[in-house]
Amino acid sequence: MTGLLSGRGLVKRYGDAYALAGVDIDIAAGEVLAIVGPSGSGKTSLLHVLAGILKADQGVITLGGQRVDQLNETKRSELRRTEFGFVFQSGMLVAELTAEENVALPLLLGGRDRNMAVSTARDWLGRVGLGGKEMRRPGELSGGEAQRVAIARSIAHRPKVIFADEPTGALDTRTGHATVNTLIGAAHETGAALIIVTHDRDIAAMVPRVVAIRDGRIETPVAAA
Ligand SMILES: Nc1ncnc2c1ncn2[C@@H]1O[C@H](COP(=O)(O)OP(=O)(O)O)[C@@H](O)[C@H]1O
Ligand SMILES: [Mg+2]
């Protein structure tokens, strides 16, 4: 197997239906790619299987050459917390916490001391353009600002891979593009690989590699004309 994160023969079934019908994929360290496909094609299933949120029914997943598909739930949850970062469609921020606390929380849960967690959170909020808004709660931020908090939170612990599932789904086109640029910039800064699931071809056009999925299978890449 090659690459930082690799999947071979990934199958995920719901009853008789195949959400993933045998997917092979390799993601290199620091690589930025988009996974595109129509609604119901298996994008989220693939992301969740690769990230260890869901267990595949069949297939092998390796991270840095080590098998991770057979880890138990405790180990998978540790892997998600330490090696991976996540950005979802609509923030999933804790409404009661400030922007700074939202970003610091995973660092605190990861055992970082409070001063360190808070200064790292402030630093990342500044880098994603939210300097001065650290004390706002999610309800006091625009959709695009909330997604930037989510980006800061996904990357502050310096994960190897960031998984973003439709991160622009709740945003207007312009804000969506700015959000993806912020995400790509953050990944480049830390050397993290970035996997963006989107059904927006314009977003896909912003990244160097696009993987198309349909009916739970990777479509053969069409050679450029
Ligand atoms: N929890 C679930 N229970 C039953 N079927 C599901 C579940 N999650 C996804 N599916 C089905 O699996 C297929 C792929 O879904 P999904 O991975 O969410 O696709 P996408 O993210 O591309 O829209 C769809 O047919 C969907 O209905
Ligand atoms: Mg989805």
Side-chain angles (χ1 to χ4, degrees):
M1 295 221 174
T2 56
L4 169 69
L5 180 64
S6 293
R8 282 292 173 282
L10 300 175
V11 171
K12 180 69 193 172
R13 277 189 306 268
Y14 291 105
D16 290 339
Y18 283 78
L20 298 177
V23 168
D24 296 336
I25 189 165
D26 288 298
I27 295 119
E31 183 170 25
V32 175
L33 73 145
I35 297 176
V36 301
S39 184
S41 57
K43 304 181 299 295
T44 295
S45 299
L46 178 56
L47 210 69
H48 285 188
V49 162
L50 287 172
I53 293 171
L54 276 178
K55 239 180 154 143
D57 295 305
Q58 287 176 48
V60 172
I61 301 169
T62 57
L63 178 71
Q66 305 281 339
R67 275 191 79 159
V68 292
D69 53 281
Q70 289 174 324
L71 298 176
N72 64 29
E73 178 49 38
T74 309
K75 290 279 181 198
R76 290 216 312 281
S77 136
E78 189 184 315
L79 189 75
R80 292 196 298 266
R81 208 175 51 237
T82 57
E83 310 284 16
F84 298 154
F86 296 92
V87 179
F88 300 97
Q89 177 164 342
S90 44
M92 303 259 272
L93 302 173
V94 183
E96 294 77 13
L97 300 183
T98 64
E100 183 176 290
E101 289 166 338
N102 267 283
V103 179
L105 184 61
L107 298 168
L108 292 169
L109 295 174
R112 241 64 71 85
D113 78 61
R114 193 171 176 83
N115 286 341
M116 162 73 168
V118 168
S119 69
T120 304
R122 293 188 78 87
D123 179 40
W124 272 106
L125 286 169
R127 292 201 228 183
V128 300
L130 290 176
K133 297 188 175 169
E134 295 87 352
M135 294 305 157
R136 301 229 188 145
R137 289 187 167 69
E140 299 160 339
L141 296 167
S142 71
E145 288 170 340
Q147 274 311 59
R148 283 189 270 155
V149 176
I151 291 168
R153 182 186 55 182
S154 77
I155 203 147
H157 62 296
R158 298 197 158 250
K160 291 199 177 78
V161 187
I162 302 169
F163 297 92
D165 195 353
E166 308 270 7
T168 66
L171 304 175
D172 64 79
T173 306
R174 225 180 95 191
T175 310
H177 288 198
T179 301
V180 169
N181 278 325
T182 301
L183 200 46
I184 293 171
H188 280 332
E189 251 184 87
T190 62
L194 169 63
I195 308 176
I196 304 173
V197 160
T198 181
H199 55 247
D200 182 339
R201 291 273 169 180
D202 290 344
I203 300 281
M206 297 168 71
V207 307
R209 178 182 169 204
V210 178
V211 171
I213 182 166
R214 180 176 291 269
D215 298 333
R217 294 176 197 277
I218 305 280
E219 292 190 300
T220 316
V222 179

Short mmCIF file of all heavy atoms in Angstrom, two decimals, residues 21 38 77 82 103 118 175:
data_model
loop_
_atom_site.label_atom_id
_atom_site.label_comp_id
_atom_site.label_asym_id
_atom_site.label_seq_id
_atom_site.Cartn_x
_atom_site.Cartn_y
_atom_site.Cartn_z
N ALA A 21 -19.28 0.03 -2.76
CA ALA A 21 -19.31 -1.28 -3.42
C ALA A 21 -17.91 -1.71 -3.86
O ALA A 21 -17.75 -2.27 -4.94
CB ALA A 21 -20.27 -1.22 -4.60
N PRO A 38 -23.08 12.66 -7.11
CA PRO A 38 -24.46 13.05 -6.79
C PRO A 38 -24.86 12.64 -5.38
O PRO A 38 -24.19 11.83 -4.74
CB PRO A 38 -25.29 12.32 -7.84
CG PRO A 38 -24.40 11.33 -8.48
CD PRO A 38 -22.99 11.68 -8.18
N SER A 77 -11.62 6.08 18.28
CA SER A 77 -11.96 7.40 18.77
C SER A 77 -10.69 8.18 19.13
O SER A 77 -10.59 9.38 18.85
CB SER A 77 -12.94 7.24 19.93
OG SER A 77 -12.62 8.07 20.98
N THR A 82 -6.68 12.43 17.64
CA THR A 82 -5.28 12.84 17.55
C THR A 82 -4.81 13.05 16.11
O THR A 82 -4.07 13.99 15.84
CB THR A 82 -4.37 11.79 18.21
OG1 THR A 82 -4.58 10.53 17.59
CG2 THR A 82 -4.66 11.68 19.69
N VAL A 103 -12.58 26.24 19.89
CA VAL A 103 -11.33 25.78 19.30
C VAL A 103 -10.44 25.12 20.35
O VAL A 103 -9.75 24.14 20.09
CB VAL A 103 -10.60 26.94 18.59
CG1 VAL A 103 -9.27 26.48 18.00
CG2 VAL A 103 -11.48 27.53 17.48
N VAL A 118 -5.61 27.73 25.04
CA VAL A 118 -6.21 29.03 24.74
C VAL A 118 -5.32 29.82 23.78
O VAL A 118 -5.80 30.43 22.82
CB VAL A 118 -6.50 29.83 26.04
CG1 VAL A 118 -6.84 31.27 25.74
CG2 VAL A 118 -7.65 29.16 26.80
N THR A 175 -19.00 33.08 -0.19
CA THR A 175 -18.52 32.70 1.14
C THR A 175 -17.99 31.27 1.10
O THR A 175 -16.98 30.95 1.74
CB THR A 175 -19.66 32.81 2.18
OG1 THR A 175 -20.27 34.09 2.03
CG2 THR A 175 -19.15 32.65 3.59
#
